[in-house]
Structure formats: C-alpha cells, structure tokens
Amino acid sequence: RSSHYLLWLFYRELLMDQQEFLKRVETEIKISKLSDYTLKNYMGFNKLLLKHANKSPEEIEKQDIKYFLVDKMENRAASSTILFLASIRFAYTNVLEKDPTAGVKRPKREQRIPSVLTKLEVIKLFESAQTHKSNLILQLLYSSGLRVSEIVNLKKQDLDFEENTGWVREGKGKKDRMFIFSKKLSKKLKKFIEKNSEYNYIFSKTTPLTTRNIQKIVQNTAKIAEINKEVHPHTLRHSFATHLLDSGIDLRKIQFLLGHSSIATTQIYTHISREQVKDIKNPLDSL
C-alpha cells in the first residue's frame, strides 16, 4: 500500500501545477496577439474549470468539461458556452497538445435580433445628455457606428476633419479600419479637442475612459430620455447600421464601415430594417 502511495506522489510531482499551466496559457495568448477581451475570457474560463474539477491540467478530460457545462453554464447563452469551449480548446491544444473538448457538442448560436432606436429616440437621447462631453460621446457612437472599446481609444490624430473620416487603430481582430462621422458633429468635436488640448485621447487626458464609464453614460441618459428599451453603447452601433440600410446604403458598404469580416454578420440588419419593410406593397392592396 505504501509503495502505491509513493508512486502516486511521484506521479503527482510530475504533473504540471495549475499556476504554471495558466502562466503558459497567458503566454500563448499574448504570442498569438489576441485581444485583451479574449485574454480576460480565456484565462477566466480556464481558472474556473480547474477550480471546479479540482484536478491538475493534465488530468482534465472530456467528462470534466461536461460536468462544468451542466453545473455552471446551463442557464448561460449559447454564445457563452461556445466561448468557454473555445477557451479550453485553445489552452489545451497549445500547452498540452490535446483537446479535452473534442466530442463535446457545441450549441447553435442564437440568432437574436438586436435592439434598435428609432430616429426620434436617438434625438431624445442626445437632448437628454447631462453634459456637453456626454452629448459628443453619444453623437460619435451613433454617427460612426464604432464599438465602445474603439471610441475610448481614439486620439485626435485619428480624425480627419476635412474629410469627416477617421481611423480605428488595431480594432477587433487587431485590424485598422476607416470610419465616417457626421459633418454636423465635426465642428463641435474639433472645438472640443482644441479646448482640451492637454488630452491625449479625444475624451480623456492620460488614460482612455473605461468602457464601463461610457456604458453608464448611455444607460443613464436613456433613463432620463424615458426610452423604454434596453439601451447600451452597442445599441447606437446597431441603430447606425439599420438607419443606413433604411436610407438605401448598400450592405457591403455597411459591412466595411462596421468592420465585419463576413457579410453574414452584417446581414442580421436586413431583418430589422423597418423602413424597407414598410415600403413593401401588401398583396391585398393590389387585388
């Protein structure tokens, strides 16, 4: 019995400990130049799995993944489960050259139609902003269609006030891309930047505003405007895309402005374009 115990201890010593494994996972993520968002999620899910299974990384197997999904992910959206499985697969294939997620069924991603503001609601939102800075942030979110993470990192050198265009530097997928913003907004934004010449970023001095800060501005302003919808910074991005589609802008151009790598991602806006739906002539009216 004692010899078996010693062998077991020796075996345990050979196994990689959790902290070493997580350090190696982080290294692989950074070498792959994945985003900070991906780093946070991949590391978080791997820590949770190891804690739940209470095993060394090398002992993790398919059944541990399934137990975790049932215990911790049953009430989560399909997209969260897909992200969890991607996190585990990345970690184990890159560090231990095995895939414990192999054979685990992936759920189908939900096709949710995003919430969109009407043009009247957008105006009400702007009018309800509590400060000039908040008003500019809201207008830039809507007129550019940028993600909140892209807005906070904008610098004055990224904007061209002659052309009313700008550049996102290393946006999602580490890609640079061009965007547009409103002529109406252009003069106001230029004045704001000139007045705050000590700012390194458009809306902040030394470090970018947090995305949570922008989320609070949007949500609080929506409450003041009495908009009875879930309103987030991304809602303004959805509204930008939908209103462009309503005005007859080609879907390929909208795809370019949003920075979507696939037209399939942009096609969701074809389901929510109210103006185009209203223009359809009902067959009963032509009888």
Side-chain angles (χ1 to χ4, degrees):
R1 186 175 291 180
S2 59
S3 61
H4 281 107
Y5 180 69
L6 288 170
L7 279 170
W8 180 81
L9 283 176
F10 178 69
Y11 168 71
R12 295 290 296 179
E13 283 293 316
L14 291 175
L15 295 176
M16 188 187 303
D17 69 38
Q18 294 186 4
Q19 290 307 313
E20 174 63 21
F21 174 74
L22 291 169
K23 187 179 176 182
R24 291 193 192 184
V25 172
E26 186 175 0
T27 302
E28 291 297 330
I29 293 169
K30 288 178 177 176
I31 289 170
S32 301
K33 296 193 179 297
L34 301 179
S35 69
D36 291 340
Y37 173 83
T38 303
L39 172 66
K40 180 185 170 185
N41 280 296
Y42 278 26
M43 293 301 294
F45 276 131
N46 274 285
K47 283 177 188 175
L48 288 172
L49 175 64
L50 290 170
K51 185 180 178 182
H52 184 264
N54 194 25
K55 289 181 175 181
S56 79
E58 285 151 311
E59 292 174 313
I60 294 291
E61 54 189 13
K62 182 166 67 174
Q63 198 57 49
D64 297 309
I65 308 290
K66 289 182 175 181
Y67 287 146
F68 183 88
L69 288 173
V70 171
D71 290 348
K72 302 293 183 182
M73 305 293 288
E74 195 173 14
N75 297 319
R76 300 279 292 272
S79 56
S80 296
T81 301
I82 292 165
L83 181 58
F84 163 71
L85 291 170
S87 306
I88 306 308
R89 186 177 187 277
F90 177 91
Y92 284 80
T93 53
N94 281 282
V95 176
L96 296 176
E97 296 183 356
K98 68 172 190 173
D99 180 11
T101 73
V104 178
K105 288 181 182 177
R106 268 68 172 167
K108 286 187 178 179
R109 197 181 290 272
E110 303 102 331
Q111 286 293 328
R112 290 184 180 177
I113 296 175
S115 175
V116 170
L117 301 179
T118 64
K119 289 180 181 178
L120 186 61
E121 285 171 334
V122 172
I123 293 167
K124 281 173 70 179
L125 191 71
F126 295 159
E127 289 175 346
S128 301
Q130 298 297 285
T131 66
H132 179 56
K133 183 174 170 179
S134 295
N135 181 274
L136 292 178
I137 289 169
L138 292 168
Q139 288 198 47
L140 187 56
L141 278 167
Y142 173 69
S143 81
S144 64
L146 292 178
R147 300 175 179 93
V148 65
S149 58
E150 295 167 343
I151 285 273
V152 296
N153 286 298
L154 278 181
K155 296 181 177 180
K156 55 189 172 186
Q157 59 264 35
D158 296 328
L159 301 181
D160 182 338
F161 291 105
E162 295 296 319
E163 300 286 338
N164 299 316
T165 58
W167 284 92
V168 171
R169 304 298 178 187
E170 288 199 358
K172 192 173 181 182
K174 297 288 182 182
K175 292 180 290 187
D176 288 2
R177 81 168 194 282
M178 191 172 131
F179 64 89
I180 60 170
F181 58 94
S182 156
K183 287 178 185 176
K184 285 182 183 178
L185 177 62
S186 186
K187 288 179 183 176
K188 297 176 194 173
L189 205 51
K190 192 176 181 183
K191 276 185 185 178
F192 178 82
I193 289 169
E194 286 169 355
K195 190 178 176 182
N196 298 282
S197 56
E198 75 279 12
Y199 280 22
N200 287 333
Y201 297 87
I202 289 178
F203 296 115
S204 56
K205 286 185 182 179
T206 51
T207 55
L209 289 175
T210 64
T211 55
R212 183 72 191 125
N213 195 305
I214 305 286
Q215 285 164 357
K216 281 182 179 177
I217 289 169
V218 174
Q219 289 168 348
N220 291 340
T221 310
K223 279 182 188 175
I224 294 164
E226 296 181 346
I227 297 170
N228 296 317
K229 291 177 181 175
E230 282 284 322
V231 184
H232 306 281
H234 227 67
T235 310
L236 290 167
R237 177 173 162 87
H238 293 320
S239 304
F240 164 81
T242 305
H243 295 166
L244 282 179
L245 195 62
D246 287 344
S247 62
I249 302 299
D250 182 74
L251 200 64
R252 289 278 177 192
K253 290 178 181 175
I254 297 171
Q255 177 195 358
F256 171 79
L257 291 172
L258 293 176
H260 288 162
S261 55
S262 168
I263 191 71
T265 311
T266 320
Q267 280 173 334
I268 190 166
Y269 296 108
T270 60
H271 299 299
I272 52 175
S273 180
R274 298 180 184 189
E275 294 304 314
Q276 290 191 18
V277 171
K278 286 194 290 187
D279 287 341
I280 298 169
K281 192 173 182 181
N282 193 284
L284 180 60
D285 294 329
S286 60
L287 287 179

